[in-house]
Amino acid sequence: MLAVVKRSGVTEPFSRNKVVRGVQRACQGRPVDEDALQQLAHRVEEVVRSTGSAEIASHEVGLAILGPLRDLDEVAYLRFASVYRAFSSVEDFEKEIAELRTVQADGEEPAEAP
């Protein structure tokens, strides 16, 4: 069984449904259907299980969500990233949007910020 270690140190079983619920909030009002959310959650689960570890930090789960969500819906990605990365200013959004534009222009993956 795969376990997620939260920032508080609490450990809980990995839940694909919890991934879906978190992403649903970011996708609220966006043209994203339930099948796409389920596929995203499946991709995230595959990524975290591929580490081969019995435990994974919640931070790593969040990182695994960002890439597929960016591909699915950029507005939802910005919403999720703003909470996940604790944006505190308009400049944080501007930087993330600039990175999105770079990815669109040259198809490269941006470096993940801590």
Side-chain angles (χ1 to χ4, degrees), residues 2 28 41-43 56 69-72 76 78 81 83-84 87 89 96 99 105:
L2 179 62
Q28 193 168 3
H42 179 73
R43 285 176 61 190
I56 188 161
L69 184 55
R70 183 183 60 233
D71 294 341
L72 180 63
L78 283 171
V83 173
Y84 177 72
F87 288 7
S89 68
E96 198 66 39
E99 287 184 20

Side-chain angles (χ1 to χ4, degrees), residues 64-76:
I65 291 170
L66 287 172
L69 184 55
R70 183 183 60 233
D71 294 341
L72 180 63
D73 187 281
E74 291 175 343
V75 171

Side-chain angles (χ1 to χ4, degrees), residues 3-15:
V4 176
V5 181
K6 313 277 280 175
R7 288 181 197 169
S8 66
V10 172
T11 302
E12 62 183 45
F14 175 84
S15 168

Side-chain angles (χ1 to χ4, degrees), residues 16-67:
R16 189 186 297 185
N17 289 334
K18 191 166 182 179
V19 170
V20 170
R21 285 193 308 273
V23 174
Q24 276 176 328
R25 286 191 296 273
C27 293
Q28 193 168 3
R30 301 296 303 155
V32 176
D33 65 26
E34 184 64 28
D35 285 345
L37 292 176
Q38 291 296 331
Q39 289 174 10
L40 181 144
H42 179 73
R43 285 176 61 190
V44 169
E45 184 174 6
E46 285 180 336
V47 167
V48 297
R49 286 192 184 282
S50 72
T51 66
S53 178
E55 292 185 342
I56 188 161
S58 59
H59 175 77
E60 295 298 320
V61 176
L63 287 176
I65 291 170
L66 287 172

